[in-house]
């Protein structure tokens, strides 16, 4: 077992989509935080189908020097799923953390990683605990609850939140994501489903606070809800065909 005083070696995966206005600020905040903890590794910035100058911006941030981390810029096919699979495949550190490009949870992902460093499993930061302070609208919370119910009915995954940031060992993450083929945002829902099927421990950790993004409040339409429902059915059908049901 690794000594708890030993430096943590982590790969931080940050999919970047239309993030040109805030990704530099995110990296500067990340640098300030990482310089205070006992960790080293790499930051994988993955552009995935942006329609703005995100790729140029993340190439520019490579000039920001970290004392113990290397910034690596990658480009994937469009879609969150494409970015995450590429990031997990390219990650070389002992532990992998997924973070959003607009820091909705600040750095709780990394703090929780340190706390659970010696444990195996797939850890999700969940927004749906009573202790979480959230600026989300009531409508957004209702949609989240409905989506959780649909996940349970269609995929039989009894979890509050599959869409949050996550972390785990490189070995387990590669095992999980090598079985995922979603290209869009439902990749994290598919990953949670695969985790259960592989018998890997899945742990939801309450988020302390959700911060408003610099992008402004996100909106969800009826079209998005229908898309979520169809997407869940698609995952179920695909996994039945693949005999992972």
């Amino acid at each position: 077992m690794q000594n708890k005083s030993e430096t943590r070696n982590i790969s931080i995966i940050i999919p970047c989509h239309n993030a040109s206005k805030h990704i530099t600020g995110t990296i500067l905040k990340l640098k300030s935080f990482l310089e205070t903890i006992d960790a080293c590794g790499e930051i994988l910035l993955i552009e995935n189908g942006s329609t703005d100058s995100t790729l140029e911006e993340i190439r520019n941030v490579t000039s920001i020097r970290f004392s113990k981390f290397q910034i690596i810029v990658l480009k994937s096919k469009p879609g969150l799923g494409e970015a995450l699979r590429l990031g997990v495949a390219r990650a070389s550190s002992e532990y992998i953390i997924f973070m959003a490009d607009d820091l909705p949870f600040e750095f709780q992902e990394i703090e929780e990683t340190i706390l659970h460093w010696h444990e195996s499993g797939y850890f999700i930061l969940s927004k749906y605990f009573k202790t979480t302070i959230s600026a989300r609208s009531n409508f957004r919370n209702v949609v989240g609850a409905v989506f959780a119910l649909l996940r349970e009915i269609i995929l039989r995954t009894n979890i509050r939140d599959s869409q949050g940031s996550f972390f785990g060992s490189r070995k387990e993450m590669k095992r999980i994501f090598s079985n995922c083929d979603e290209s869009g945002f439902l990749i994290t829902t598919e990953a949670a489903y695969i985790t259960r099927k592989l018998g890997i421990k899945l742990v939801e950790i309450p988020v302390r606070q959700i911060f408003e993004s610099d992008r402004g409040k996100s909106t969800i339409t009826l079209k998005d809800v229908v898309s979520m429902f169809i997407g869940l059915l698609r995952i179920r059908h695909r996994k039945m065909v693949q005999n992972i049901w």
Side-chain angles (χ1 to χ4, degrees), residues 102-114:
D102 54 0
L103 292 180
F105 305 154
E106 289 292 331
F107 302 113
Q108 188 176 351
E109 300 102 323
I110 301 175
E111 293 170 354
E112 291 291 350
T113 302
I114 293 171

Side-chain angles (χ1 to χ4, degrees), residues 27-47:
I27 298 304
L28 288 172
K29 288 181 183 178
L30 184 58
K31 173 181 169 62
S32 296
F33 176 78
L34 291 177
E35 297 296 336
T36 67
I37 66 172
D38 189 17
C40 64
E42 59 191 5
I43 301 167
L44 305 175
L45 300 178
I46 308 175
E47 193 282 320

Side-chain angles (χ1 to χ4, degrees), residues 13-16 42-49 54-55 58-59 62 71-77 83 85-91:
I13 298 174
I14 306 180
C16 303
E42 59 191 5
I43 301 167
L44 305 175
L45 300 178
I46 308 175
E47 193 282 320
N48 57 104
T54 293
L55 184 58
I58 61 177
R59 284 172 175 163
T62 58
I71 296 180
I72 299 173
V73 173
L74 301 171
K75 182 175 174 59
S76 74
K77 296 176 182 178
R85 275 199 303 277
L86 176 60
V88 171
R90 292 288 297 272

Side-chain angles (χ1 to χ4, degrees), residues 159-177:
I159 56 174
R160 290 183 175 95
D161 185 10
S162 65
Q163 303 300 120
S165 292
F166 58 82
F167 59 89
S169 71
R170 182 182 64 179
K171 179 180 178 181
E172 289 178 328
M173 297 287 260
K174 286 183 180 290
R175 187 181 172 205
I176 293 166
F177 280 86

Side-chain angles (χ1 to χ4, degrees), residues 14-239:
I14 306 180
C16 303
H17 182 77
N18 291 342
S20 61
K21 293 182 179 179
H22 58 262
I23 191 60
T24 299
T26 293
I27 298 304
L28 288 172
K29 288 181 183 178
L30 184 58
K31 173 181 169 62
S32 296
F33 176 78
L34 291 177
E35 297 296 336
T36 67
I37 66 172
D38 189 17
C40 64
E42 59 191 5
I43 301 167
L44 305 175
L45 300 178
I46 308 175
E47 193 282 320
N48 57 104
S50 299
T51 56
D52 63 2
S53 58
T54 293
L55 184 58
E56 179 183 354
E57 194 66 29
I58 61 177
R59 284 172 175 163
N60 289 337
V61 302
T62 58
S63 62
I64 300 173
R65 300 300 177 187
F66 288 70
S67 61
K68 294 178 288 187
F69 280 82
Q70 176 189 10
I71 296 180
I72 299 173
V73 173
L74 301 171
K75 182 175 174 59
S76 74
K77 296 176 182 178
L80 177 63
E82 300 289 352
L84 288 183
R85 275 199 303 277
L86 176 60
V88 171
R90 292 288 297 272
S92 60
S93 302
E94 183 180 359
Y95 232 74
I96 293 176
I97 304 171
F98 159 69
M99 293 179 63
D101 59 30
D102 54 0
L103 292 180
F105 305 154
E106 289 292 331
F107 302 113
Q108 188 176 351
E109 300 102 323
I110 301 175
E111 293 170 354
E112 291 291 350
T113 302
I114 293 171
L115 290 175
H116 295 275
W117 190 253
H118 298 287
E119 298 179 38
S120 62
Y122 181 80
F123 300 86
I124 300 175
L125 270 71
S126 174
K127 300 176 286 293
Y128 298 107
F129 281 82
K130 292 182 179 180
T131 54
T132 300
I133 301 173
S134 174
R136 289 174 173 240
S137 68
N138 289 332
F139 175 73
R140 184 69 185 271
N141 289 330
V142 169
V143 170
V146 171
F147 187 45
L149 179 61
L150 289 175
R151 276 198 308 266
E152 183 174 354
I153 293 173
I154 297 173
L155 295 180
R156 304 172 188 172
T157 54
N158 186 21
I159 56 174
R160 290 183 175 95
D161 185 10
S162 65
Q163 303 300 120
S165 292
F166 58 82
F167 59 89
S169 71
R170 182 182 64 179
K171 179 180 178 181
E172 289 178 328
M173 297 287 260
K174 286 183 180 290
R175 187 181 172 205
I176 293 166
F177 280 86
S178 66
N179 283 282
C180 294
D181 42 31
E182 269 293 315
S183 61
F185 74 94
L186 284 176
I187 180 71
T188 52
T189 295
E190 183 183 31
Y193 170 78
I194 292 294
T195 299
R196 297 284 195 191
K197 288 299 176 181
L198 293 177
I200 297 173
K201 181 176 69 172
L202 193 156
V203 180
E204 287 187 88
I205 299 170
V207 177
R208 292 188 294 269
Q209 185 170 2
I210 303 174
F211 297 89
E212 274 198 55
S213 166
D214 292 338
R215 294 175 177 175
K217 293 182 178 179
S218 59
T219 58
I220 293 181
T221 65
L222 179 60
K223 182 180 178 181
D224 296 323
V225 175
V226 173
S227 178
M228 291 176 187
F229 176 71
I230 294 174
L232 291 173
L233 291 176
R234 188 176 64 240
I235 291 173
R236 172 175 172 169
H237 173 73
R238 194 164 59 243
K239 296 313 171 189

